[in-house]
């Protein structure tokens, strides 16, 4: 720890109380831009703590589900107000905790604000259906009811936005929550829980359990009293969760990895495409599930466009995201930086050329953080691993193509299908791309990143299992349909039989 700097002791929040782990064990969280700086210590929880949290959530469900949805919405409206009031403070805490620059951490908090207000308004909708009956004097309807106890398992790259995408709609629908944040961003998670409580969420309705994925996360997924799991993270862990949760028939939403491509055609506005690729590839140090990891370039612009990308990537300033003028923060931790280094080595071994970057920077105080230079790999071919696998770091693989068809085929040549982008001025090409790119999200003339809170978010193939977060669609995940038939005929009416007999 830096001399003179006190690390805060954080706790779990279970059944209306802030408590340590039953075991008494803790773990540290450090600033990735200055790894000697300890942000706080957190409970290293285990199965006992999970059992207690799930029990509390189960009990609280019986009263929370009966609170009218507009009232639950009022609480979420207050959550949005409190997040707004504390936006700058939370953004600073988040930058210290996970490294992305203040401009981006402010955006992360704002996404939580937008999600809160959207959820609040949904409290006065949560529409069901009324449907005519096939029989006289009978009314059919389908209502939304909550599912039960929801386990939320989240990654570190959007420490506020992603938990809010899950927790706010879940609560609005009347579910109770056990929240297991990533071990790299537990402080932002604690702040979110504090705000939920201040806004009026009753004891037991939200529970926070810190700790490792293979202990706390796995115990939640296995727990027989957890009804649904919403997970965002790697495809590898997502597959495991899906298998285990399948044994107890839990409802599971998976938002997993990506290998997103930006296509630039020869007719594109190249200035715009340049800005887009720099923001998409190096924003959040490339550690977004929607990061632009591949630039698919038409051969007619390849030789002029690539040097411009390289020149601008070299101008990006690395550093502590709290400092003005810094464009790119560190990787989240040592092991993530090692993965990035390894992928660059793999790319070079496969025949790619490092056009810029390709190493950790030296000097200027950067050696005290997990920094890696913005890297552009040229001469990448579609079969290379750096063209197909998620790297999750500031590395852009550039691939040359000769036509739109080839560009789309290359874009689709990965197991993932989250985000995608095409820059072209030709409306026919844009619509062909919308039709043929296999991805949950396609941007026309904007980068692969930049989701809006009121739109469905998610991907196809190994990016997920068909659910979406955000927008109106997420409310389907957090509710069950209850079908109701009201027969006011005063006699026995037999569906499929009485009608057919007449
Ligand atoms: P990760 O899969 O390592 O961890 C995610 C969460 O799962 C953490 O809270 C972790 O503790 C927990 N976990 C780990 N093992 C577990 C287990 N066996 N059972 C239950 N929980 C377990 O991912 P990460 O490194 O935190 O995040 C990076 C990954 O997340 C990338 O692949 C990225 O693409 C993906 N991601 C996807 C989206 C999306 O919406 N599609 C958004 C952000 C990040």
């Amino acid at each position: 720890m830096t001399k003179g700097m006190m690390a805060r002791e954080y706790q779990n929040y279970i059944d209306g109380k802030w408590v340590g782990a039953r075991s008494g064990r803790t773990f540290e969280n450090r600033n990735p831009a200055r790894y000697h700086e300890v942000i706080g210590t957190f409970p290293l929880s285990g199965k006992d703590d999970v059992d207690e949290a799930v029990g509390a959530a189960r009990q609280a469900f019986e009263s929370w589900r009966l609170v009218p949805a507009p009232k639950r919405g009022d609480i979420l409206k207050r959550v949005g107000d409190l997040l707004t009031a504390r936006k700058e403070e939370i953004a600073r805490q988040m930058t210290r905790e996970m490294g992305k620059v203040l401009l981006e951490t402010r955006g992360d908090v704002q996404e939580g604000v937008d999600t809160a207000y959207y959820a609040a308004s949904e409290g006065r909708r949560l529409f069901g259906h009324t449907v005519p009956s096939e029989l006289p004097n009978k009314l059919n309807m389908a209502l939304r009811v909550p599912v039960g106890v929801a386990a939320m398992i989240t990654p570190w790259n959007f420490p506020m936005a992603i938990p809010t995408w899950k927790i706010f709609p879940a609560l609005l629908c009347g579910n109770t929550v056990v929240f297991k944040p990533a071990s790299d961003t537990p402080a932002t998670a604690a702040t979110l829980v504090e705000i939920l409580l201040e806004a009026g969420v009753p004891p037991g309705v939200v529970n926070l359990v810190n700790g490792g994925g293979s202990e706390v996360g796995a115990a939640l997924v296995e727990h027989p009293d957890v009804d649904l799991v919403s997970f965002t993270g790697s495809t590898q862990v997502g597959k495991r969760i899906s298998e285990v949760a399948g044994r107890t028939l839990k409802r599971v939403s998976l938002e997993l990895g990506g290998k997103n491509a930006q296509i630039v055609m020869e007719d594109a506005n190249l200035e715009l495409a340049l800005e887009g690729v720099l923001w998409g590839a190096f924003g959040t140090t490339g550690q977004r599930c929607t990061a632009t990891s591949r630039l698919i370039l038409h051969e007619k612009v390849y030789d002029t466009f690539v040097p411009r990308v390289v020149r601008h990537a070299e101008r990006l300033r690395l550093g502590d995201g709290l400092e003005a003028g810094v464009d790119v923060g560190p990787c989240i931790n040592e092991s993530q930086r090692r993965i990035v280094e390894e992928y660059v080595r793999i790319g070079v071994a496969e025949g790619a050329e490092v056009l810029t970057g390709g190493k950790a920077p030296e000097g200027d105080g950067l050696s005290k953080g997990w920094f890696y230079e913005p890297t552009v790999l040229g001469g990448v071919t579609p079969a290379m691993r750096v063209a197909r696998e998620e790297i999750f770091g500031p590395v852009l693989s550039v691939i040359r193509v000769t036509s739109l068809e080839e560009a789309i085929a290359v874009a689709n040549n990965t197991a993932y299908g989250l985000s995608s982008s095409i820059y072209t001025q030709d409306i026919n090409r844009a619509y062909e791309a919308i039709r043929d790119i296999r991805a949950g999200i396609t941007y026309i003339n904007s980068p692969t990143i930049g989701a809006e809170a009121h739109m469905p978010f998610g991907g196809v193939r190994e990016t997920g299992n068909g659910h979406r977060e955000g927008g109106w669609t997420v409310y389907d995940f957090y509710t069950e349909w209850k079908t109701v038939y009201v027969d006011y005929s005063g006699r026995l009416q037999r569906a499929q039989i009485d009608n057919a007999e007449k």
Side-chain angles (χ1 to χ4, degrees):
M1 195 194 314
T2 310
K3 264 207 179 120
M5 202 147 192
M6 286 301 291
R8 181 175 151 188
E9 251 182 66
Y10 286 82
Q11 295 192 303
N12 289 334
Y13 184 75
I14 299 177
D15 201 10
K17 290 183 271 315
W18 291 99
V19 290
R22 283 263 187 101
S23 66
R25 291 162 68 207
T26 59
F27 66 94
E28 279 178 356
N29 178 27
R30 287 165 182 263
N31 180 345
R34 307 164 190 277
Y35 51 64
H36 295 301
E37 188 180 310
V38 179
I39 309 256
T41 59
F42 298 83
L44 188 62
S45 314
K47 190 175 172 307
D48 290 354
D49 306 287
V50 168
D51 285 346
E52 218 173 301
V54 173
R58 171 58 57 199
Q59 206 181 345
F61 177 64
E62 289 311 321
S63 46
W64 183 242
R65 72 186 176 89
L66 301 178
V67 174
K71 290 273 172 234
R72 297 193 295 248
D74 289 347
I75 293 177
L76 288 164
K77 156 79 173 57
R78 281 199 290 281
V79 170
D81 295 344
L82 289 167
L83 281 170
T84 304
R86 291 178 62 181
K87 179 170 167 179
E88 188 61 21
E89 168 218 333
I90 301 169
R92 288 182 171 273
Q93 176 190 45
M94 195 189 301
T95 295
R96 265 187 83 208
E97 181 168 56
M98 57 73 71
K100 66 185 174 188
V101 299
L102 260 182
L103 179 77
E104 293 188 46
T105 50
R106 287 184 190 125
D108 196 318
V109 181
Q110 186 60 42
E111 206 160 331
V113 172
D114 297 344
T115 302
Y117 291 150
Y118 189 98
S121 71
E122 193 58 30
R124 291 187 183 270
R125 284 189 296 267
L126 270 193
F127 294 139
H129 297 277
T130 56
V131 185
S133 168
E134 64 183 52
L135 294 160
N137 296 326
K138 191 176 172 195
L139 174 69
N140 296 353
M141 54 190 156
L143 310 175
R144 288 178 186 275
V145 295
V147 183
V149 175
M152 313 304 199
I153 305 175
T154 55
W156 45 264
N157 61 342
F158 281 85
M160 181 60 76
I162 290 178
T164 69
W165 285 2
K166 301 178 188 305
I167 295 174
F168 295 174
L171 291 179
L172 189 276
C173 293
N175 304 285
T176 53
V177 167
V178 181
F179 172 26
K180 202 296 275 173
S183 311
D184 283 304
T185 50
T188 307
T191 303
L192 172 58
V193 172
E194 282 166 16
I195 285 176
L196 285 162
L197 302 181
E198 192 182 337
V201 171
V205 170
V206 170
N207 301 273
L208 171 69
V209 187
N210 287 286
S214 46
E215 295 83 28
V216 176
L220 279 168
V221 175
E222 283 164 20
H223 204 293
D225 233 8
V226 167
D227 298 293
L228 66 79
V229 178
S230 179
F231 171 81
T232 300
S234 60
T235 295
Q236 189 193 1
V237 174
K239 285 182 177 175
R240 167 100 192 118
I241 286 177
S242 190
E243 278 174 33
V244 175
R247 290 184 211 141
T248 44
L249 298 178
K250 287 182 176 58
R251 183 182 289 210
V252 180
S253 169
L254 302 171
E255 295 296 340
L256 310 174
K259 183 70 182 176
N260 316 290
Q262 175 178 318
I263 297 173
V264 179
M265 298 304 294
E266 78 282 18
D267 63 51
N269 174 338
L270 294 180
E271 274 308 312
L272 197 63
L274 178 64
E275 270 186 280
V277 75
L278 292 164
W279 177 230
F282 303 120
T284 321
T285 320
Q287 300 172 116
R288 290 194 187 209
C289 50
T290 53
T292 307
S293 184
R294 296 175 294 161
L295 173 61
I296 301 176
L297 266 181
H298 192 279
E299 59 177 355
K300 285 199 181 135
V301 289
Y302 190 99
D303 292 336
T304 51
F305 195 73
V306 175
R308 292 175 72 191
V309 175
V310 168
R311 229 177 15 253
H312 282 82
E314 283 169 353
R315 285 188 203 148
L316 294 172
R317 217 183 116 207
L318 280 178
D320 183 334
L322 289 175
E323 283 170 20
V326 167
D327 301 299
V328 180
C331 297
I332 186 69
N333 53 36
E334 186 174 16
S335 73
Q336 191 58 40
R337 187 171 76 175
R338 222 179 288 124
I339 291 171
V340 172
E341 283 167 345
E342 181 59 19
Y343 265 109
V344 171
R345 260 196 300 277
I346 290 168
V348 170
E350 286 179 316
E353 187 189 348
V354 176
L355 301 178
T356 186
K359 59 180 175 16
E362 287 146 21
D364 296 344
L366 296 178
S367 58
K368 296 280 185 282
W370 306 118
F371 293 96
Y372 195 83
E373 289 184 358
T375 299
V376 180
L377 298 178
V380 173
T381 59
M384 290 181 186
R385 286 181 62 190
V386 289
R388 292 181 292 112
E389 297 176 17
E390 182 176 56
I391 300 173
F392 227 57
V395 181
L396 179 70
S397 298
V398 190
I399 305 168
R400 183 195 299 256
V401 292
T402 58
S403 66
L404 178 66
E405 291 65 35
E406 187 186 354
I408 292 173
V410 170
N412 289 340
N413 187 36
T414 160
Y416 301 107
L418 183 52
S419 188
S420 55
S421 146
I422 180 165
Y423 282 73
T424 177
Q425 310 269 39
D426 180 334
I427 191 164
N428 297 340
R429 285 174 152 180
Y431 276 96
E432 263 187 63
I434 292 169
R435 185 191 63 200
D436 293 338
I437 293 177
R438 284 188 296 190
I441 305 165
T442 297
Y443 290 91
I444 307 300
N445 292 324
S446 61
T448 58
I449 65 178
E452 298 183 26
H454 58 292
M455 294 295 285
F457 181 93
V460 301
R461 308 178 76 214
E462 294 213 350
T463 292
N465 63 344
H467 291 289
R468 292 290 180 273
E469 306 219 81
W472 59 96
T473 47
V474 74
Y475 292 87
D476 288 331
F477 181 69
Y478 291 109
T479 50
E480 297 273 15
W481 284 109
K482 160 80 67 95
T483 302
V484 181
Y485 299 99
V486 181
D487 191 325
Y488 53 99
S489 69
R491 60 199 164 86
L492 173 66
Q493 299 200 88
R494 297 166 301 180
Q496 293 93 39
I497 296 173
D498 291 351
N499 260 353
E501 295 295 311
K502 276 175 194 149

